[in-house]
Amino acid sequence: GRVQRERQDALVREQESMKEKAFARHEDDEELEDLRRGVIREGDPMAKYQRKKRTTRDQSSMNQPHGKPIYKGPQPKPNRFRIRPGYRWDGVDRG
């Protein structure tokens, strides 16, 4: 169905981009390095951490526009600079 078509289209796009690249790939090829780093291998001691990090990064990037945490406490009263509270600061000037 739809997923298979999307995979096929992605494969075709990848093959088209491969046509334009040089045949030999060297150590300084950034795309190849990213591809190698992105693979989670069996027996890797950091695999569990990488999976957790990847899922939390995907979830946080979907929920937040800039990938930064947002204050989730009660709505504070407006301060004189109209600065929204951060996730570490509740918006109250205690100084």
Side-chain angles (χ1 to χ4, degrees):
R2 183 177 57 90
V3 174
Q4 288 82 3
R5 248 185 271 126
E6 289 175 0
R7 287 182 184 167
Q8 182 66 26
D9 292 342
L11 181 63
V12 169
R13 283 193 304 270
E14 182 181 345
Q15 289 174 349
E16 289 293 325
S17 68
M18 292 296 279
K19 275 199 243 180
E20 300 166 358
K21 294 181 183 177
F23 182 72
R25 294 182 114 176
H26 300 282
E27 292 178 12
D28 60 348
D29 188 0
E30 293 177 11
E31 185 176 335
L32 180 61
E33 186 65 24
D34 290 340
L35 182 66
R36 288 179 179 168
R37 286 179 187 247
V39 174
I40 298 176
R41 294 175 180 80
E42 184 66 30
D44 185 5
M46 293 293 288
K48 183 178 176 183
Y49 172 74
Q50 287 294 334
R51 282 190 195 102
K52 181 179 174 185
K53 183 177 175 184
R54 189 176 287 172
T55 57
T56 57
R57 180 182 53 193
D58 292 343
Q59 291 173 352
S60 67
S61 65
M62 289 170 46
N63 294 339
Q64 298 156 359
H66 300 289
K68 296 180 182 176
I70 299 173
Y71 176 70
K72 294 183 174 92
Q75 184 66 29
K77 64 178 186 177
N79 57 34
R80 66 181 188 178
F81 300 111
R82 293 186 176 86
I83 299 173
R84 289 185 11 207
Y87 72 104
R88 292 187 179 140
W89 180 58
D90 61 359
V92 178
D93 185 15
R94 294 182 176 88

